[in-house]
């Protein structure tokens, strides 16, 4: 037992230092309190070499949770946008199909109207021939009872002399009205 009290004192301080280190390792890390000198010296020497331990509710975990929540929200928004974009594409296809159908109907109606105009013009030309071959007095009686538009088209398709003879038998008021409408007519029928 004499070696415990050795004059050099080298063995005893090593044992005591080992016990202090073991005791510190067994204890949980302590927070620094104002006025405590022992723990402040330990934290000062450790602060440069070891990072601080984080507690479960720390700022880093809050930042991670916030970032995860934002990412989830962004993913949900992206999925909603993708669904809306897909719906818009579907509606665009429907509208394109309806537009093509409407264009086909419009073309069909235009064709029917053109055919109707051709037929009407043929009928008007036929009426022009009929009225041109009638006596002027008889043609005037019939023209007075016709609609003004048709009467004007018939008169505009006749030769000037024949139309003048027929108008001479029409009442002056009706003749003036038909003559006025004949001047407004832009496209006379050719024989």
């Amino acid at each position: 037992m004499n070696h415990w009290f050795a004059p050099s004192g080298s063995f005893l301080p090593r044992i005591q230092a080992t016990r202090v280190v073991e005791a510190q390792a067994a204890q949980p890390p302590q927070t620094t309190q104002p006025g405590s000198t022992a723990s402040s010296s330990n934290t000062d020497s450790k602060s440069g070499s070891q990072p601080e331990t984080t507690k479960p509710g720390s700022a880093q975990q809050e930042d991670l949770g916030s970032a995860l929540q934002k990412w989830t929200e962004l993913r949900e928004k992206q999925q909603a946008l993708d669904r809306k974009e897909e719906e818009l594409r579907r509606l665009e296809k429907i509208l394109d199909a309806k537009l093509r159908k409407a264009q086909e109907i419009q073309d069909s109606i235009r064709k029917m109207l053109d055919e109707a105009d051709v037929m009407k013009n043929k009928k008007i030309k036929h009426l022009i021939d009929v009225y041109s071959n009638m006596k002027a007095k008889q043609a005037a009686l019939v023209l007075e009872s016709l609609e003004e538009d048709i009467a004007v088209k018939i008169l505009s398709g006749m030769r000037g002399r024949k139309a003048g003879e027929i108008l001479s038998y029409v009442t002056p008021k009706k003749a003036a009205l038909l003559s006025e409408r004949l001047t407004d007519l832009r496209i006379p029928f050719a024989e």
Side-chain angles (χ1 to χ4, degrees):
M1 287 211 163
N2 288 344
H3 64 276
W4 286 97
F5 298 106
S8 66
S10 64
F11 190 70
L12 183 61
R14 262 194 292 180
I15 292 174
Q16 287 176 344
T18 305
R19 286 183 185 163
V20 170
V21 170
E22 288 173 356
Q24 286 177 351
Q27 293 179 352
Q30 296 178 356
T31 58
T32 308
Q33 296 180 4
S36 67
T37 57
S39 62
S40 65
S41 65
N42 287 341
T43 56
D44 289 344
S45 65
K46 293 180 183 179
S47 65
S49 62
Q50 294 179 349
E52 291 185 22
T53 58
T54 58
K55 294 183 181 178
S58 70
Q60 288 178 350
Q61 288 181 345
E62 288 176 11
D63 289 344
L64 181 62
S66 175
L68 183 61
Q69 181 181 3
K70 286 180 181 179
W71 182 81
T72 304
E73 289 173 3
L74 286 174
R75 188 180 66 192
E76 289 172 359
K77 286 180 181 179
Q78 181 64 42
Q79 289 172 348
L81 285 173
D82 290 344
R83 285 190 300 272
K84 286 181 181 180
E85 188 176 344
E86 186 63 34
E87 180 67 14
L88 285 174
R89 282 191 200 114
R90 187 182 69 77
L91 291 174
E92 185 178 25
K93 288 178 183 178
I94 291 171
L95 285 176
D96 285 344
K98 287 184 178 184
L99 184 63
R100 281 191 302 272
K101 181 87 169 169
Q103 188 67 39
E104 289 171 5
I105 291 171
Q106 185 179 10
D107 291 344
S108 176
I109 290 171
R110 185 174 291 126
K111 184 179 178 182
M112 289 170 61
L113 287 174
D114 289 345
E115 289 173 0
D117 282 346
V118 168
M119 264 321 240
K120 189 175 182 180
N121 288 339
K122 284 181 180 179
K123 288 181 181 181
I124 295 287
K125 286 183 181 181
H126 178 71
L127 285 174
I128 291 170
D129 287 342
V130 169
Y131 282 92
S132 294
N133 291 322
M134 289 174 72
K135 292 185 179 178
K137 197 171 189 176
Q138 290 174 331
L141 289 173
V142 178
L143 277 178
E144 279 194 56
S145 64
L146 288 175
E147 288 183 23
E148 290 177 18
D149 289 338
I150 295 173
V152 168
K153 287 181 181 179
I154 290 171
L155 288 171
S156 67
M158 292 181 173
R159 294 183 182 204
R161 177 170 277 166
K162 185 64 174 179
E165 284 179 43
I166 294 172
L167 281 176
S168 67
Y169 291 105
V170 176
T171 59
K173 187 176 181 181
K174 183 81 172 188
L177 184 64
L178 291 174
S179 297
E180 186 178 320
R181 295 282 309 272
L182 278 169
T183 59
D184 292 339
L185 191 65
R186 296 174 193 258
I187 305 173
F189 288 96
E191 288 186 24

